[in-house]
């Protein structure tokens, strides 16, 4: 099973890479949710539980990024 403490920073990093490639910041939360769901459904198979955990991972990565950004500023 994949651990959330490993996946969340990976999602934050991947979203940052996408933003540097040209993704507008408006779509960053959507991309993080999609990545979270993709990671967990890919690893655990498509089920309600894996989708919910993927949503939690994506939303957590959004919150982690915005909190870190607020602290730095």
């Amino acid at each position: 099973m994949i651990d959330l403490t490993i996946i969340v920073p990976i999602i934050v990093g991947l979203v940052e890479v996408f933003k540097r490639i040209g993704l507008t910041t408006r779509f960053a939360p959507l991309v993080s949710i999609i990545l979270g769901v993709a990671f967990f459904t890919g690893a655990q198979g498509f089920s309600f539980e894996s989708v919910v955990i993927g949503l939690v991972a994506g939303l957590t990565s959004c919150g982690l990024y915005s909190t870190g950004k607020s602290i730095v500023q």
Side-chain angles (χ1 to χ4, degrees):
M1 182 164 168
I2 301 175
D3 192 13
L4 277 175
T5 58
I6 295 170
I7 292 300
V8 169
I10 291 172
I11 293 172
V12 171
L14 286 174
V15 170
E16 192 62 34
V17 168
F18 283 125
K19 287 192 323 192
R20 290 179 190 225
I21 291 173
L23 177 73
T24 59
T25 56
R26 178 180 173 198
F27 295 114
L30 180 63
V31 170
S32 68
I33 291 170
I34 290 170
L35 286 173
V37 171
F39 272 122
F40 280 94
T41 55
Q44 298 177 353
F46 189 78
S47 68
F48 179 74
E49 181 182 351
S50 63
V51 171
V52 170
I53 293 172
L55 285 171
V56 169
L59 292 171
T60 302
S61 68
C62 290
L64 177 67
Y65 178 80
S66 64
T67 302
K69 185 177 176 183
S70 297
I71 290 172
V72 169
Q73 292 177 351

